[in-house]
Amino acid sequence: MKFLHSMHPESTLQNALNNNRPKLDGLRRKRVIFDEQWEKLFPSSGKPPDSKEFDITLLHLLLREVCHLSAPSTGWRKMPADTDASPEASIVRIKCYRNELCHSVSTGVPNDEFEDKWNKISSSLEVLEVAAHRKKLQSLKSATTDHEAQLVEEALEQWRREKELEKIGKIMAGTASSPVSPVSSGSSVLNVSEEKTNGTKLMRLLVDGGTHVLRNLLHSVYPTDKLQVVLNNNKAKLQLLRSRGVIFKNQWEMLFPAVGDPPDSKTFDISLLHLLLREICHLTAPSTGWHNMPAEDDNSLGANITRIKCFRNELCHNVSTEIPNAKFEDK
């Protein structure tokens, strides 16, 4: 969000969005932007957009579509090369890792993999922090009035303080043998809290528990040894969904491995399991459909399948892992 505001400050964000509205509307018609995202960009109430409601997906979209940034060599949707430390690559890297986490079949991450991912994500966040500060300073470089000159000095002083705090944080972290926070010590974004622990617990319940339950449900309809035959029998229908962009390339590879091996349902995440349950298992959709949160009093099988996916999506598209205690108990 800070990087977005370094190019389009909050005071000018609404104008920037309005100037790009035809382009964004085209993306909406192509279903690149969904209705709930559109409402955040152009609130029907007429109020200005609140960027604090923009999640990683929407921020990634705005940065690539309205900020005139150059795409990394691997594009805006593929994991960049480790050697690419550009701000653009850092933006994509953050989104790719978020997607990877949300579409995992388990929240478990081996220690060596955790260290590697933590370092790469931290470095990406640091790159964007530095780039945002530089853009802010560049915009103030031509200051001519005393007031503007004061703003430059204040920005420089803030930058110096944050770099000093960062150095201190790294020294302390090195002493404690713990990962370095990717944001300045003065920030509370990554501070531990009971509410953020709630979010972590819900993620484990949804990803670990939800994936396990949906996979077992799939196999109660189609046992493991019959799954390949069933998928082949439904290949034409699934191919149509692929052509419509409902099934993605990596999901197709899981369903129909190029090497000819049978599909391994242990690699199917909640999204893919939800798709198979609704498309080839002949289940009855809840009254609200397969893609909307069911009514609370709907305890049908279809509703519970959809509820798991909706809660997973909600958690993954939040702007924070914080879940208030009362809401945590309810969910």
Side-chain angles (χ1 to χ4, degrees), residues 64-241:
R64 75 173 189 258
E65 297 293 345
V66 306
C67 291
H68 310 293
L69 300 176
S70 299
S73 59
T74 49
W76 283 113
R77 293 175 178 81
K78 294 181 180 179
M79 184 68 78
D82 288 347
T83 54
D84 190 344
S86 65
E88 292 83 357
S90 297
I91 292 166
V92 178
R93 192 172 288 115
I94 289 168
K95 183 172 185 287
C96 285
Y97 276 125
R98 193 287 308 269
N99 288 353
E100 183 180 311
L101 180 63
C102 288
H103 291 283
S104 292
V105 297
S106 170
T107 56
V109 180
N111 289 338
D112 56 344
E113 188 175 322
F114 169 78
E115 290 292 337
D116 179 61
K117 289 182 176 179
W118 178 277
N119 290 334
K120 288 176 181 176
I121 294 170
S122 297
S123 296
S124 294
L125 294 175
E126 289 171 359
V127 166
L128 294 177
E129 285 264 322
V130 171
H133 274 287
R134 284 177 177 167
K135 286 183 178 295
K136 183 177 180 181
L137 294 178
Q138 287 170 359
S139 68
L140 295 172
K141 186 177 180 181
S142 58
T144 56
T145 67
D146 290 341
H147 175 65
E148 289 175 329
Q150 183 180 353
L151 291 177
V152 173
E153 289 300 322
E154 289 175 355
L156 285 169
E157 183 58 30
Q158 180 186 0
W159 173 249
R160 294 189 193 101
R161 284 199 305 268
E162 291 188 357
K163 295 308 289 181
E164 284 302 314
L165 287 170
E166 182 181 332
K167 289 179 183 178
I168 294 171
K170 286 182 177 180
I171 293 171
M172 293 178 66
T175 304
S177 299
S178 60
V180 179
S181 170
V183 294
S184 66
S185 302
S187 173
S188 62
V189 173
L190 297 184
N191 284 357
V192 177
S193 68
E194 185 175 358
E195 289 79 6
K196 290 183 179 180
T197 300
N198 289 343
T200 303
K201 289 178 179 178
L202 276 182
M203 193 69 173
R204 290 176 61 189
L205 178 65
L206 285 165
V207 174
D208 296 330
T211 304
H212 176 75
V213 168
L214 294 186
R215 186 187 300 118
N216 284 347
L217 180 59
L218 174 66
H219 289 317
S220 72
V221 181
Y222 299 121
T224 307
D225 59 345
K226 301 284 195 260
L227 184 59
Q228 187 173 24
V229 173
V230 172
L231 290 175
N232 285 332
N233 290 341
N234 286 274
K235 191 167 186 175
K237 180 179 184 179
L238 296 171
Q239 180 71 59
L240 181 61
L241 293 174

Side-chain angles (χ1 to χ4, degrees), residues 238-258:
L238 296 171
Q239 180 71 59
L240 181 61
L241 293 174
R242 185 188 183 190
S243 68
R244 293 175 179 172
V246 177
I247 294 178
F248 299 106
K249 183 179 179 180
N250 65 316
Q251 293 175 316
W252 186 262
E253 178 64 23
M254 292 177 190
L255 297 174
F256 303 99

